[in-house]
Amino acid sequence: ATEGISWDFRNYVRSILKDVDQISPLHELVFSELTYFVDERGLLVPQPRPVPMTAMIRLIVNTAKIIRSDLQIDFGDGGWEALKKVIQIRNRITHPKGIKDLQVSDDDVETAQAGFFWFFNMVVYVMERTLHEYKIDLEITKKIVSNLIAGDSETLTLYNQMDSRNDS
């Protein structure tokens, strides 16, 4: 579940940043988990480059701060530590080296629950706050477009000033 939520979380932040033209080419590259090299024929060849889940989660949060700079995530919290441990447990179970690796203790289950709920609540917190900021931006944009359509002279003047800046 954490991997799926992480995937959705990444795409959510990426989508908002694309909509407001704030995503960098470097973020796009990392979010797509690709790198490139040039082969002997001089061609760019994509190479999958998975990012560890914990690093990706922190990248998503740091990237979400482009939308809402006041986000406060406590990565020193026990929930974050539990999530990191759960990822290790998951890796142990999915890539066992012996029969013992397939055993899941009650402590493992409690750790999984703590890590999952910390992560889930953190994602909800970030998504709620960034969505709120996005809605404000959309309302401002709607108002500007309405004013432009209505021929509001002050808005037209500001628009023309911004347009002339973009030309230079």
Side-chain angles (χ1 to χ4, degrees):
T2 303
E3 287 181 18
I5 292 169
S6 176
W7 178 261
D8 286 341
F9 186 35
R10 172 192 339 190
N11 288 330
Y12 167 82
V13 169
R14 183 186 202 177
S15 175
I16 287 180
L17 288 172
K18 277 182 167 182
D19 284 352
V20 295
D21 286 333
Q22 292 294 312
I23 194 158
S24 71
L26 188 55
H27 278 96
E28 277 288 3
L29 193 62
V30 174
F31 280 158
S32 66
E33 296 189 273
L34 288 174
T35 60
Y36 290 86
F37 74 93
V38 180
D39 70 10
E40 288 299 318
R41 298 169 294 160
L43 300 174
L44 286 173
V45 179
Q47 276 188 311
R49 181 68 108 205
V51 176
M53 184 183 289
T54 53
M56 182 58 78
I57 290 168
R58 294 203 63 159
L59 175 67
I60 297 165
V61 169
N62 288 334
T63 305
K65 288 180 180 182
I66 295 169
I67 303 163
R68 181 89 189 237
S69 62
D70 64 342
L71 291 172
Q72 297 293 318
I73 306 300
D74 185 2
F75 285 104
D77 183 90
W80 173 246
E81 292 305 315
L83 181 64
K84 292 192 305 187
K85 188 171 182 185
V86 167
I87 293 167
Q88 292 172 348
I89 293 168
R90 176 229 176 254
N91 291 342
R92 182 191 80 213
I93 294 167
T94 57
H95 306 289
K97 296 191 180 18
I99 194 76
K100 187 176 180 178
D101 289 341
L102 295 173
Q103 295 174 347
V104 178
S105 70
D106 289 343
D107 284 346
D108 290 344
V109 173
E110 286 178 27
T111 300
Q113 289 173 333
F116 174 78
F117 287 117
W118 178 89
F119 179 65
F120 182 77
N121 290 325
M122 183 274 296
V123 168
V124 168
Y125 164 80
V126 172
M127 290 176 89
E128 284 177 344
R129 274 143 190 88
T130 54
L131 181 59
H132 175 75
E133 203 65 31
Y134 186 54
K135 284 180 178 179
I136 290 171
D137 288 348
L138 287 175
E139 287 303 315
I140 291 169
T141 302
K142 276 195 229 179
K143 185 175 181 179
I144 291 169
V145 169
S146 293
N147 287 349
L148 286 171
I149 291 169
D152 179 78
S153 61
E154 187 176 328
T155 305
L156 285 167
T157 300
L158 289 171
Y159 176 79
N160 288 329
Q161 287 173 354
M162 292 305 295
D163 193 40
S164 66
R165 280 186 180 171
N166 291 335
D167 289 341
S168 47

